[in-house]
Amino acid sequence: MYPSNSCTDDEKRYMQRAIELAERGRGFTSPNPLVGAVIVKNGTIIGEGFHAICGGRHAEREALANCAESPRGATLYVTLEPCCHFGRTPPCTDAIIEAGISRVVIGSRDPNPKVSGKGAVILYSHGIKVDRDFLREECDALNPIFFHYITKKRPFVALKYAMTIDGKIATVSGASKWITGEEARAHVHTLRHRYRGILAGIGTVLADDPLLNCRMDGGRSPVRIICDSHLRLPLGSQICKTADKYETIVAHVDGVSRKAEALKKRGIRLLQIPEQNRHVSLPLLMKRLAELEIDSVLAEGGGNIHYSLLADGLAQKAYVYVAPKIFGGATAKTPVGGKGVYLPEDAFRLKQTTLQAFGQDILLEFDVLEGGQPCSQD
């Protein structure tokens, strides 16, 4: 059992097809990974499948169920190591062995301790040829959220904001609608579909009265998470009025109160979190969210929350929409507030990954690198 050296065009095509299939589950499989599978016999694809929804059949079982002929003696291409434990569904290794598959080509290795290497070993021990790490980089790119969630035990966090080219997210009056055009704003809803939770601070909610849902056709709305240390959320806000329709969590530091009971009656889940610098502790909040199987969070929270996520080392990605406008104003809000850093070399550093255009606006995507030294100056 060794990393695969098979790199024929056909082999690549089969795994690339499995990757395409896996993408179809994006936004629906949380907290499970995206996985696609293709079964090939005598040079022909006889079965395909992908993990469509958490609790549903895994990609391997879907592909086996969709086979046009017996899969005995066939090769299975799968983007992630097959599971070998009972979770919400039975082990996929059992189904592969029972089906008589003779070879399994694996893309990504599963970091889940319940699987990690064990799935491949079980298959190998039953006489099945196993090739690992085939197109691994492309397969790994499917699941940065899952890998982070499993290994770090906290959600994958992405910052998202729209700004002018002079770095403003609102005018001096606080007005922020709209910085970007319709195409860019529509794209935001694809992000809300992809991420399991969406995070905003009470300042943003009070200023903008947002709905924080997904308005993409066929999309799934994220769990709305509001950091509201002292329960200032208005009962007449859009968040409160739609809490029966969209799952909503309010994180706070205050104890039981009349306001807390009123929020609960509207269907809002309250999480009392210890404070950090007189506000909800974001590291502890992320730990609680992970326990609730919220594997990813899109932070649209305003400058202070963005800074705190960076300062606490909790952010992994940033989506920055830039509009060809200038607001100016020394007091106009910027996308990252807080104390900042003291010296240029203390900066939070990012690595640009992609650039897309939406009309006159552009979207820059970054991976957030480790490091950065928050300012300790008072």
Side-chain angles (χ1 to χ4, degrees):
M1 182 170 57
Y2 301 99
S4 177
N5 293 316
S6 301
C7 293
T8 67
D9 288 343
D10 283 343
E11 295 261 282
K12 290 180 180 178
R13 179 169 58 86
Y14 301 143
M15 187 62 86
Q16 286 165 348
R17 175 58 179 165
I19 292 170
E20 291 174 7
L21 291 166
E23 283 284 356
R24 296 184 184 180
R26 191 170 293 281
F28 298 107
T29 65
S30 169
N32 288 349
L34 298 173
V35 186
V38 169
I39 299 173
V40 177
K41 189 172 184 178
N42 298 324
T44 300
I45 295 176
I46 64 169
E48 296 183 336
F50 66 97
H51 186 40
I53 191 167
C54 182
R57 283 190 299 203
H58 289 187
E60 300 92 324
R61 288 181 177 270
E62 278 290 324
L64 288 168
N66 293 331
C67 277
E69 60 180 272
S70 170
R72 186 162 297 278
T75 296
L76 168 69
Y77 296 82
V78 62
T79 57
L80 182 69
E81 180 180 3
C83 67
C84 55
H85 67 288
F86 280 89
R88 291 181 174 89
T89 59
C92 287
T93 49
D94 289 357
I96 294 168
I97 294 165
E98 291 167 7
I101 294 290
S102 63
R103 177 178 173 232
V104 175
V105 180
I106 298 169
S108 295
R109 301 190 184 201
D110 194 332
N112 187 338
K114 295 179 180 179
V115 180
S116 189
K118 300 181 182 73
V121 168
I122 288 172
L123 296 174
Y124 185 72
S125 68
H126 282 78
I128 297 173
K129 183 180 179 183
V130 178
D131 291 324
R132 298 194 297 182
D133 300 337
F134 185 70
L135 297 190
R136 181 172 177 177
E137 185 174 345
E138 292 93 326
C139 291
D140 283 355
L142 287 168
N143 287 303
I145 287 174
F146 175 73
F147 294 156
H148 177 86
Y149 174 67
I150 288 295
T151 59
K152 302 296 184 182
K153 304 295 190 293
R154 66 173 188 261
F156 182 100
V157 177
L159 313 181
K160 172 265 159 185
Y161 52 85
M163 69 179 190
T164 60
I165 60 171
D166 59 333
K168 305 296 184 180
I169 61 172
T171 66
V172 291
S173 70
S176 59
K177 293 183 179 180
W178 296 103
I179 292 175
T180 54
E182 290 185 7
E183 289 183 50
R185 298 201 301 271
H187 184 262
V188 169
H189 292 281
T190 69
L191 298 182
R192 291 182 178 182
H193 167 71
R194 293 179 186 180
Y195 284 79
R196 189 67 192 98
I198 184 168
L199 176 69
I202 187 60
T204 296
V205 174
L206 292 175
D208 299 337
D209 192 24
L211 193 53
L212 298 179
N213 67 339
C214 174
R215 296 187 283 279
M216 180 184 83
D217 287 344
R220 180 175 75 165
S221 286
V223 178
R224 303 180 301 185
I225 305 154
I226 311 301
C227 281
D228 183 11
S229 297
H230 307 295
L231 295 179
R232 294 189 289 152
L233 181 64
L235 298 179
S237 65
Q238 288 201 88
I239 294 293
C240 281
K241 289 191 291 188
T242 58
D244 60 337
K245 186 175 181 181
Y246 305 112
E247 188 176 352
T248 305
I249 292 172
V250 169
H252 64 109
V253 299
D254 290 337
V256 176
S257 67
R258 192 172 297 176
K259 182 66 170 291
E261 293 305 314
L263 293 173
K264 287 180 182 177
K265 285 181 180 179
R266 282 161 173 76
I268 292 173
R269 180 172 191 160
L270 297 184
L271 293 182
Q272 187 171 354
I273 305 293
E275 69 175 59
Q276 176 179 311
N277 300 323
R278 298 185 299 279
H279 297 287
V280 167
S281 167
L282 291 178
L284 293 178
L285 173 59
M286 292 302 151
K287 181 180 178 182
R288 290 290 300 277
L289 294 178
E291 292 168 355
L292 296 174
E293 296 192 328
I294 295 176
D295 64 351
S296 56
V297 172
L298 183 66
E300 297 191 24
N304 289 332
I305 281 187
H306 291 164
Y307 174 78
S308 295
L309 289 167
L310 288 166
D312 288 329
L314 298 173
Q316 284 70 55
K317 194 170 184 67
Y319 299 96
V320 182
Y321 296 86
V322 184
K325 300 175 182 178
I326 294 176
F327 284 171
T331 60
K333 291 181 178 179
T334 58
V336 180
K339 292 182 177 180
V341 300
Y342 194 60
L343 296 170
E345 57 263 34
D346 296 334
F348 303 106
R349 299 187 182 277
L350 298 86
K351 177 183 177 182
Q352 184 181 332
T353 56
T354 62
L355 184 153
Q356 297 179 71
F358 296 96
Q360 291 296 304
D361 307 314
I362 61 171
L363 168 61
L364 299 166
E365 291 188 31
F366 300 91
D367 289 336
V368 178
L369 306 179
E370 293 185 3
Q373 183 59 52
C375 185
S376 59
Q377 301 294 314
D378 292 327

